[in-house]
Amino acid sequence: MGAANGMNRWWVFMAMLGFCSNISSFVAMAQELPAVRLIYQKGPLLSSDIDVHVIWYGKFSPIQRSVIGDFLQSLGEEDEAALLSNQPSVHEWWKTTEIYRDDASFDMGSAVPSKKKIEKIVLGNQTLDESYSLGKWLQRTHIEALVLRASVASNAVSAEKGIFLVLTAQDVVVERFCMSSCGFHSSARSGKGGRSVSLPYAWVGNSVTQCPGQCAWPFQQPLYGPQTLPLVAPNGDVGVDGMIINIATVLVGTVTNPFNTGFFQGDGAVPLEGVSGCRGIYGRGAYPGYAGQLLVDETTGASFNARGLNGRMFLLPAKWNPLTKSCKTLV
């Protein structure tokens, strides 16, 4: 009875933080940590080097674009000297994603390699839409429309090689944003007949003026639940540092469950995925309202757990490891 009540309190707390989901979104926080066990549903994963094409919708400052761009490029960093000097690294965090394979043997706890393997992330084309071409109130269908428009412009045709990442500025309202979602991923059909392909895409919004307590925790106090002091954002921007967490979440979900037939737990309509199954965990000893033991920058007092390109520091969420069947943190 006590364990059940504790699990209910966990769900209530995380639900009130706003980490919810639907069939194409990342879900809220997982249940108690030992309960997380993703199952491979026999569908395709994204493989090979994965281009992330970014659509900047609304006004982002050059610094904001630089921070997010550095994060995305850090995922695919291969320079050994840079990696050794940047421990723990963003690239190391991503390496756990490369363990996921489109191989049924994972259901038996085996590490047998498959023919297709998730490789590194590569920053692809970038599109600026600072004129708010579809307005400042977007439905999810508008997000898909932005993706299809960008795919035509970039001549993207491979469903297995690219992800379109739509990022909306702080003054853009998106359907269900702050009410049931901080980001989501899905896929869109592009082309006709035999030339039609599925394009995986994801969306994340800047929550700083709309719901930072929901979508930028632990850099902002939550509206509900334990009221611990917020952490100092490593890049000095609560909205963008919160976006990094949510971008990391939807990228892992998109790569490992692009068409809702990959790795997830529970009902396919509300799946727990590679990061969303470990939501709210950033370091060892984490519990509801406490992000865990983290590194702290001596100069700024900022909390982080990963280093990236150009001296950047980031706070990245725990990720489910398919070999150990547990949520893994960098620190």
Side-chain angles (χ1 to χ4, degrees):
M1 180 66 72
N5 289 337
M7 185 176 294
N8 289 336
R9 288 195 295 272
W10 177 279
W11 271 107
V12 169
F13 168 70
M14 296 313 297
M16 295 176 82
L17 283 183
F19 295 116
C20 301
S21 175
N22 64 20
I23 188 170
S24 59
S25 69
F26 63 79
V27 190
M29 184 60 184
Q31 302 177 15
E32 293 180 329
L33 304 188
V36 180
R37 185 179 178 87
L38 307 190
I39 303 298
Y40 176 47
Q41 308 295 329
K42 310 299 190 295
L45 314 184
L46 300 190
S47 59
S48 302
D49 291 350
I50 300 167
D51 297 325
V52 177
H53 307 295
V54 183
I55 302 169
W56 304 91
Y57 190 85
K59 290 182 170 61
F60 289 86
S61 72
I63 293 178
Q64 289 177 322
R65 294 201 301 269
S66 175
V67 170
I68 294 174
D70 283 347
F71 168 68
L72 293 174
Q73 292 184 86
S74 296
L75 292 169
E77 175 61 58
E78 290 187 318
D79 184 272
E80 292 185 7
L83 291 173
L84 288 174
S85 63
N86 288 330
Q87 292 296 318
S89 70
V90 172
H91 179 69
E92 179 185 351
W93 179 85
W94 179 256
K95 291 288 285 185
T96 302
T97 311
E98 297 178 7
I99 299 174
Y100 288 72
R101 308 286 179 86
D102 55 350
D103 192 326
S105 63
F106 268 116
D107 288 345
M108 299 178 286
S110 171
V112 176
S114 69
K115 295 181 179 180
K116 292 185 178 181
K117 175 187 175 185
I118 296 168
E119 298 288 354
K120 66 179 181 179
I121 289 289
V122 178
L123 182 59
N125 299 323
Q126 297 189 61
T127 304
L128 297 182
D129 190 341
E130 296 183 308
S131 64
Y132 304 88
S133 62
L134 299 182
K136 293 187 176 182
W137 294 75
L138 303 182
Q139 296 180 342
R140 293 198 168 192
T141 53
H142 291 132
I143 302 297
E144 181 172 316
L146 290 170
V147 169
L148 292 174
R149 186 167 67 186
S151 72
V152 172
S154 63
N155 294 317
V157 295
S158 175
E160 291 188 335
K161 183 153 175 64
I163 297 172
F164 286 87
L165 177 61
V166 181
L167 304 177
T168 51
Q170 64 187 54
D171 56 347
V172 177
V173 177
V174 177
E175 179 186 0
R176 304 184 206 170
F177 189 27
C178 297
M179 290 184 285
S180 66
S181 180
C182 300
F184 72 90
H185 72 85
S186 187
S187 62
R189 297 296 298 179
S190 178
K192 296 181 179 180
R195 297 180 61 85
S196 177
V197 296
S198 292
L199 300 176
Y201 70 90
W203 160 79
V204 169
N206 187 334
S207 67
V208 68
T209 59
Q210 299 181 54
C211 57
Q214 293 173 310
C215 295
W217 185 86
F219 305 123
Q220 180 78 20
Q221 281 187 302
L223 294 176
Y224 309 99
Q227 295 296 299
T228 53
L229 291 176
L231 304 180
V232 177
N235 294 287
D237 188 320
V238 168
V240 167
D241 281 300
M243 289 182 76
I244 295 294
I245 293 172
N246 296 321
I247 290 171
T249 301
V250 296
L251 281 182
V252 172
T254 305
V255 169
T256 62
N257 188 31
F259 309 114
N260 208 39
T261 56
F263 283 86
F264 65 86
Q265 173 179 305
D267 188 341
V270 283
L272 288 174
E273 298 175 326
V275 172
S276 59
C278 303
R279 207 67 162 109
I281 307 167
Y282 299 90
R284 286 187 293 272
Y287 54 82
Y290 174 60
Q293 301 174 29
L294 304 172
L295 303 176
V296 178
D297 182 69
E298 294 181 357
T299 302
T300 65
S303 295
F304 69 101
N305 60 9
R307 300 180 186 275
L309 295 175
N310 299 319
R312 297 286 187 196
M313 296 175 289
F314 302 101
L315 184 64
L316 301 180
K319 187 190 305 180
W320 191 77
N321 186 314
L323 298 183
T324 63
K325 305 293 188 292
S326 63
C327 293
K328 177 184 178 182
T329 61
L330 278 175
V331 298

